[in-house]
């Protein structure tokens, strides 16, 4: 007996990125170049009664995506998925912030339908362009489909990653992503999609509708010998929240402690992350500036969340009016 025919629409949402860029000598390099229509012509779903509905949402480089744009994209995609005939969404996005946008979508999209994100590491008129293969594979994954309500999935170079754990580890390789701590969700084998970790995720990851993101939430990277100057200046400027990117298991220079104490005394949530790709934050060390020492003072531990994703999460929570207790509870759930 043959496989059941799939019928419906797949939303193809273009936000921009290298997948739609070309090298232009007059511009001095690679820039957005209105290639979305050319990409659409390459999409031919395998042996199914599928319509591709293209949406030109934007054509911007990945670093131009702001938290507000990420949330707006999530809201628009959620609205598309609410239509009965829509099976899922494929989103084309630049790779620099692809994992971070995917995380915001994972936190906020309420539809259980599949959401797949992909992009390219080589531009449209470059030899060895990887965009078409990634696009076609993303459509295949969308039609699989993954378990209902599972993570927003990133598909690149025949590999699948959960939005929460994906991190861009290479700036130039056509296989740029890894699954932080947990590895990949699956892979593409020829024309087939193989899920190696198929248990359902949890989406949306937030139990309430997010309507806005908070401004004046800052990420601060630590450096050797750092003092509290930056934290005190952010405090003077009305910071609403601060995320620290420490060393090792979440440890910071001792000169930072006084500034952390002032922020906490002012009611500003301070979240602790690590620059390490694997392992995450563990409150082991109780010396001044150690993760255990900072946790005792009231700093929130972000676990395995990257500093950028922790910053986005804090912006979503503060923007939604969450109390300190609610912020701590959600970070605890996300840090596991």
């Amino acid at each position: 007996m043959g496989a059941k025919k799939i019928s419906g629409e797949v939303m193809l949402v273009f936000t921009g990125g290298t997948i739609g860029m070309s090298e232009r000598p007059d511009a001095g390099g690679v820039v957005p170049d209105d290639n979305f229509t050319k990409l659409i012509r390459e999409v031919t779903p395998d042996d199914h009664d599928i319509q591709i509905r293209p949406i030109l949402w934007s054509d911007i480089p990945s670093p131009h995506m702001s938290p507000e744009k990420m949330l707006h994209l999530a809201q628009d995609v959620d609205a598309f998925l609410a239509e009965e005939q829509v099976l899922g969404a494929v989103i084309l996005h630049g790779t620099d912030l692809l994992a971070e946008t995917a995380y915001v979508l994972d936190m906020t999209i309420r539809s259980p339908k599949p959401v797949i994100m992909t992009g390219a590491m080589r531009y449209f008129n470059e030899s060895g362009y990887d965009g078409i293969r990634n696009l076609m594979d993303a459509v295949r994954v969308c039609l699989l489909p993954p378990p209902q309500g599972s993570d927003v999935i990133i598909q690149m170079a025949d590999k699948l990653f959960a939005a929460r754990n994906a991190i861009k580890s290479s700036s130039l390789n056509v296989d740029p992503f890894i699954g932080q701590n947990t590895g990949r969700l699956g892979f593409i084998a020829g024309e087939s999609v193989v899920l190696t970790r198929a248990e359902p995720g949890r989406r949306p990851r937030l139990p309430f509708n997010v309507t806005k993101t908070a401004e004046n939430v800052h990420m601060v990277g630590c450096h050797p010998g750092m003092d509290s100057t930056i934290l005190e200046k952010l405090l003077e400027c009305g910071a609403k929240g601060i995320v620290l990117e420490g060393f090792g298991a979440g440890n910071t220079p001792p000169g930072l402690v006084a500034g952390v104490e002032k922020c906490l005394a002012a009611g500003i949530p301070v979240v602790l992350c690590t620059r390490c790709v694997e392992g995450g934050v563990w409150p082991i060390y109780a010396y001044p500036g150690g993760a255990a020492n900072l946790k005792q003072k009231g700093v929130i531990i972000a676990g395995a969340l990257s500093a950028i994703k922790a910053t986005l999460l804090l912006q979503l929570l503060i923007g939604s009016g969450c109390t300190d207790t609610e912020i701590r509870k959600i970070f605890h759930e996300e840090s596991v």
Side-chain angles (χ1 to χ4, degrees):
M1 181 180 292
K4 181 181 177 181
K5 281 268 190 178
I6 301 174
S7 177
E9 287 186 345
V10 171
M11 307 300 305
L12 181 57
V13 184
F14 184 75
T15 70
T18 300
I19 193 168
M21 294 186 186
S22 300
E23 183 179 32
R24 283 179 29 201
D26 61 315
V30 178
V31 293
D33 199 29
D34 195 25
N35 286 314
F36 183 47
T37 302
K38 299 175 186 175
L39 278 168
I40 295 169
R41 297 193 193 111
E42 301 291 336
V43 184
T44 53
D46 305 329
D47 196 30
H48 291 298
D49 182 20
I50 298 298
Q51 297 295 315
I52 300 295
R53 194 202 306 181
I55 301 291
L56 180 56
W57 192 85
S58 69
D59 191 1
I60 60 175
S62 183
H64 292 196
M65 285 291 285
S66 65
E68 294 78 15
K69 287 186 175 73
M70 293 176 185
L71 181 57
H72 185 194
L73 175 64
Q75 292 167 339
D76 286 350
V77 171
D78 222 4
F80 297 146
L81 295 176
E83 299 178 30
E84 184 177 356
Q85 78 280 8
V86 174
L87 303 172
V90 170
I91 302 172
L92 306 183
H93 193 289
T95 58
D96 284 357
L97 289 181
L98 192 152
E100 287 71 30
T101 297
Y103 181 64
V104 171
L105 269 58
D106 198 46
M107 297 296 292
T108 57
I109 288 179
R110 309 197 73 77
S111 170
K113 295 177 182 178
V115 177
I116 317 299
M117 296 190 67
T118 193
M121 290 297 291
R122 294 177 177 165
Y123 49 87
F124 197 83
N125 58 351
E126 183 178 9
S127 176
Y129 177 60
D130 55 330
I132 301 301
R133 172 72 183 186
N134 285 336
L135 171 55
M136 291 302 303
D137 281 347
V139 173
R140 288 190 184 99
V141 176
C142 191
L143 296 176
L144 183 58
Q148 277 216 339
S150 62
D151 310 79
V152 169
I153 291 175
I154 292 172
Q155 187 287 131
M156 285 283 292
D158 295 345
K159 297 177 183 177
L160 312 180
F161 302 97
R164 181 174 179 272
N165 306 112
I167 185 170
K168 186 177 180 180
S169 63
S170 174
S171 62
L172 296 175
N173 199 305
V174 293
D175 183 11
F177 290 98
I178 61 171
Q180 190 176 14
N181 293 314
T182 59
R184 65 189 182 184
L185 285 177
F187 59 93
I188 310 292
E191 302 303 308
S192 300
V193 180
V194 180
L195 293 178
T196 54
R197 190 157 56 87
E199 72 276 9
R202 176 170 62 86
R203 199 177 87 224
R205 304 190 72 84
L206 292 179
F208 49 80
N209 285 320
V210 178
T211 57
K212 62 180 293 188
T213 60
E215 297 180 352
N216 220 351
V217 174
H218 301 276
M219 187 183 96
V220 177
C222 293
H223 61 80
M226 186 177 186
D227 62 18
S228 293
T229 301
I230 293 175
L231 294 186
E232 291 175 2
K233 180 57 68 174
L234 290 174
L235 187 57
E236 291 175 14
C237 294
K240 297 293 191 298
I242 291 172
V243 174
L244 297 176
E245 186 179 52
F247 315 125
N251 309 307
T252 68
L256 208 62
V257 174
V260 169
E261 291 174 336
K262 290 179 181 178
C263 291
L264 293 172
I268 298 171
V270 179
V271 177
L272 179 63
C273 301
T274 174
R275 67 176 182 170
C276 294
V277 173
E278 295 184 354
V281 175
W282 291 91
I284 301 170
Y285 299 101
Y287 54 71
N293 172 255
L294 295 178
K295 182 180 179 182
Q296 291 165 11
K297 294 178 183 298
V299 170
I300 298 168
I301 302 300
L305 276 183
S306 70
I308 297 179
K309 288 180 180 176
T311 303
L312 289 166
L313 177 56
L314 190 57
Q315 289 172 320
L316 294 173
L317 297 180
I318 294 175
S320 300
C322 290
T323 65
D324 182 74
T325 299
E326 290 168 334
I327 291 173
R328 291 178 182 278
K329 178 179 183 295
I330 290 171
F331 262 99
H332 175 72
E333 292 170 351
E334 285 297 298
S335 67
V336 176

